[in-house]
Amino acid sequence: RIKDARSVVKKKLSVHSGRHTFATIMAGKVSVPVLQQFLQHAKLADTMVYVHLSQQMLDEALEQAKW
């Protein structure tokens, strides 16, 4: 049983890293304009800085595309 996430996560935990995690997870669930509003960014480029797409996310998006 894990009592403290800091004992497992090797990276320093912060609000900033939480925003990156939130944006990356939500990028697979909502449209980018909606994510932009969630993060309260005026510019789309600012939102995309927070999104880190994995190869798995890219592969799944390609599979779901209606060609």
Side-chain angles (χ1 to χ4, degrees):
R1 190 169 171 198
I2 299 172
K3 294 182 180 180
D4 189 345
R6 290 175 288 188
S7 66
V8 177
V9 177
K10 305 298 182 207
K11 186 176 182 179
K12 181 179 177 183
L13 297 178
S14 67
V15 172
H16 183 75
S17 63
R19 285 177 63 86
H20 280 266
T21 301
F22 173 81
T24 299
I25 292 169
M26 292 306 291
K29 301 180 183 296
V30 300
S31 67
V32 174
V34 170
L35 180 59
Q36 181 180 1
Q37 291 298 311
F38 283 162
L39 296 175
Q40 299 182 351
H41 290 150
K43 297 178 185 175
L44 180 60
D46 294 338
T47 301
M48 297 313 295
V49 167
Y50 284 84
V51 177
H52 306 283
L53 299 177
S54 68
Q55 188 60 49
Q56 179 183 353
M57 291 172 81
L58 295 171
D59 292 344
E60 288 172 1
L62 188 58
E63 285 178 20
Q64 293 175 5
K66 301 204 182 343
W67 294 86

